[in-house]
Amino acid sequence: MSDHNWKKAAPEVPEEFHMKFVETLEQIENKKIIHHKKNSRKMMIRILATAAILCSLAVTTIVAGELFQWNDVLKKRLNPSKEQQESLANQGYIKGIGQSQTQNGVTITLVNTVQDQNLLYALFKIETDDSIFMDDTTSFEDGLNIKIDGTSTYDMDELGSRGAGAGLAYPEGISDISPHLQYYEVSLSYNGDYDLSGKTVQMELKNLTQGGDKAENGKVVAEGVWKFEWTLDDILSMTKLDVNRKCDFGGYEITVDAMEISPLKYTLYLDYEEAMKVYEDERNRFEYNGDDYGMDLTGRAHIDQIRYQDGTVVKMDYESGGGIGGGEEQWIEEKGVVKISESFAQVIDVDKLEAVHFGNVDSWLTVR
C-alpha cells in the first residue's frame, strides 16, 4: 500500500477540521477501502473526496460548537442552553472572532460579537503585563469610535436615534477577572430600518486609562490604538406577532397592537392615545395613588418573566448582569403607536413563546 503524507494532502482549514480530515484519511487506508497499491493522482483524488464527505458529516457540530466558543461573560449575560448556544451560532446571531493585538504591554482580544436587528455588541478581553494593573475604574480614552463601512455611526442618519455604551463587564461568577485580566463590553442600539447585513464594522479602543477617561482626569497607563474589524452576517428579521389585546399597565388599560421578538430582544407596539394617557396624567398631577406607580411607559412594560406554550415559566435575571444592549421608547403619533424596545435578560425560544409578564405592574399578556 502506498505511504501518502496525508497531513500535506489535507486542505487548509481550521485546525480541528484539519485533524479530523487527516484522521479520516488514515482510517480509509487502514480499512483498505483502496484494494490495490496503485499510486496514482486519480486514486488520491478519490481518497480525498471520500474523506471530505465523511469528515464534513462528522464536523458539523465541531464547526458550530467547538470552533466557536461562547465566552463565560457572554454565557452569564444570556444564559443559553447547550442547544441555544449552537442554534444562535448557526443562525449568525453570535460569532467568535478571536482578533488580537498587543501594544505597550496590553493585549486586547475581540472575543465574541452579537448582532441582532437594531443591536450590535462586542466583548473584548484585556490582558496586561506585570507592570500594568487594572481595577474597576479601567477604561479607554475618548469614548467609542464605531464605524460601519468606514462611516462613523454618529454620522449615519439612517440608523435613526441611537445609543452606544461601553464599560467593564462584571457579571456574577466570572472567576478569571484579575488586576491583569478584565473584560470590556461595547454595545450600539439603534431604531432605524437600516439593514446592516454584510456590512463591515470597525471599532477602535484608544489609550488604556485608570480612574476614568482623559476628559475626567483619568491617567493613561498604556498608549495605543487597538483596531478591530469584522463583517456582519445576514441579520435576521424579528418575528412579528399580531397581538391586538388590552393589558393592564398599572391602572391603565392599553391595547398592545403587536409585538416583535427575536431570541435577544423585543419591541411592543402600544396604542398611541391609550398609552399617552400615562404622560397626560403625570403632567396634571404630582401625587400617585392607587394603581398608578408613577412610572413611565418603559417602566410599566418591563418584562421579567415569559411563559412557553408547554406551561414553562422562565424568570429573567437582570440583577446578575443578564441581557445586552439598551432600550428605547418612541412616540409615533402619525402612525398611532408607541414603540417600546428592550433586551431580554436571557436568550428565549421565539417559536415556543406564549405570554409575557410585566413585573412592575404584575400583569400577564398572551402574545400568541
Side-chain angles (χ1 to χ4, degrees):
M1 183 174 291
S2 60
D3 185 15
H4 293 295
N5 184 348
W6 294 123
K7 291 187 177 181
K8 291 182 179 180
E12 291 293 331
V13 291
E15 184 63 22
E16 287 85 350
F17 188 100
H18 182 88
M19 295 309 297
K20 187 69 179 180
F21 190 86
V22 171
E23 178 185 342
T24 305
L25 289 170
E26 292 172 345
Q27 289 175 356
I28 291 173
E29 262 200 330
N30 291 338
K31 292 180 181 180
K32 297 185 179 180
I33 294 177
I34 310 295
H35 294 291
H36 52 79
K37 300 180 180 180
K38 187 175 181 180
N39 183 14
S40 68
R41 178 176 178 82
K42 183 176 181 181
M43 190 58 65
M44 188 172 183
I45 291 173
R46 289 180 181 174
I47 297 173
L48 292 173
T50 303
I53 293 170
L54 294 175
C55 191
S56 64
L57 294 175
V59 301
T60 300
T61 302
I62 293 176
V63 172
E66 294 181 15
L67 289 185
F68 166 61
Q69 296 293 333
W70 282 65
N71 181 272
D72 284 345
V73 171
L74 192 57
K75 283 195 279 190
K76 290 289 183 180
R77 282 275 184 255
L78 299 177
N79 192 27
S81 65
K82 291 288 187 182
E83 293 76 15
Q84 288 171 326
Q85 288 182 42
E86 183 173 333
S87 67
L88 264 66
N90 287 338
Q91 294 175 66
Y93 286 105
I94 312 293
K95 296 181 73 172
I97 305 297
Q99 294 180 20
S100 186
Q101 295 183 23
T102 300
Q103 297 182 43
N104 296 323
V106 177
T107 299
I108 301 179
T109 303
L110 175 54
V111 182
N112 289 155
T113 64
V114 178
Q115 65 181 52
D116 196 359
Q117 199 172 62
N118 308 130
L119 170 67
L120 286 175
Y121 170 93
L123 177 65
F124 298 90
K125 180 168 66 173
I126 310 170
E127 298 171 282
T128 65
D129 62 24
D130 293 341
S131 65
I132 301 173
F133 294 84
M134 295 183 289
D135 59 22
D136 58 6
T137 69
T138 296
S139 185
F140 290 92
E141 185 180 327
D142 296 338
L144 298 173
N145 188 351
I146 305 173
K147 294 181 179 179
I148 306 296
D149 279 353
T151 301
S152 171
T153 53
Y154 295 111
D155 298 326
M156 297 180 66
D157 293 336
E158 55 267 51
L159 294 178
S161 63
R162 55 208 170 277
L168 294 178
Y170 284 114
E172 292 181 1
I174 303 302
S175 58
D176 59 349
I177 291 176
S178 74
H180 299 291
L181 192 157
Q182 297 280 353
Y183 290 97
Y184 192 77
E185 301 171 297
V186 176
S187 65
L188 170 70
S189 299
Y190 60 98
N191 62 22
D193 295 326
Y194 186 61
D195 186 1
L196 288 175
S197 298
K199 300 295 191 296
T200 298
V201 179
Q202 297 164 306
M203 289 190 185
E204 292 184 1
L205 303 176
K206 178 182 177 182
N207 291 347
L208 188 69
T209 64
Q210 203 78 3
D213 63 26
K214 192 172 183 180
E216 298 173 343
N217 299 319
K219 177 184 177 183
V220 174
V221 295
E223 292 186 348
V225 179
W226 293 264
K227 299 181 180 181
F228 301 89
E229 180 178 305
W230 71 99
T231 300
L232 297 174
D233 295 332
D234 288 341
I235 295 177
L236 302 180
S237 297
M238 298 176 76
T239 299
K240 188 168 184 177
L241 305 176
D242 293 322
V243 180
N244 195 27
R245 291 187 177 93
K246 284 187 178 292
C247 182
D248 181 1
F249 286 91
Y252 293 86
E253 289 289 324
I254 301 175
T255 301
V256 180
D257 295 329
M259 182 178 187
E260 289 184 329
I261 52 174
S262 79
L264 303 169
K265 65 183 301 184
Y266 64 90
T267 297
L268 294 168
Y269 291 79
L270 309 181
D271 179 88
Y272 183 87
E273 291 187 4
E274 295 172 356
M276 293 305 290
K277 187 69 165 56
V278 172
Y279 294 115
E280 291 174 13
D281 286 353
E282 285 186 355
R283 286 193 296 268
N284 293 331
R285 69 179 186 223
F286 297 96
E287 291 185 9
Y288 302 98
N289 300 307
D291 291 329
D292 181 8
Y293 303 101
M295 292 176 291
D296 61 14
L297 283 169
T298 299
R300 295 169 188 275
H302 175 68
I303 295 176
D304 70 336
Q305 300 177 58
I306 62 168
R307 185 174 69 237
Y308 290 130
Q309 293 168 338
D310 65 358
T312 301
V313 174
V314 177
K315 294 183 178 181
M316 299 286 170
D317 181 9
Y318 291 93
E319 297 300 323
S320 63
I324 57 176
E328 188 162 18
E329 184 177 311
Q330 291 179 270
W331 309 341
I332 312 176
E333 185 174 6
E334 63 273 18
K335 294 185 178 181
V337 297
V338 175
K339 289 175 62 176
I340 296 177
S341 300
E342 288 282 356
S343 297
F344 288 114
Q346 65 186 71
V347 175
I348 72 159
D349 190 325
V350 171
D351 294 334
K352 297 178 181 178
L353 182 65
E354 178 185 70
V356 297
H357 182 261
F358 304 110
N360 291 332
V361 295
D362 193 21
S363 292
W364 280 98
L365 172 68
T366 300
V367 296
R368 178 187 274 134

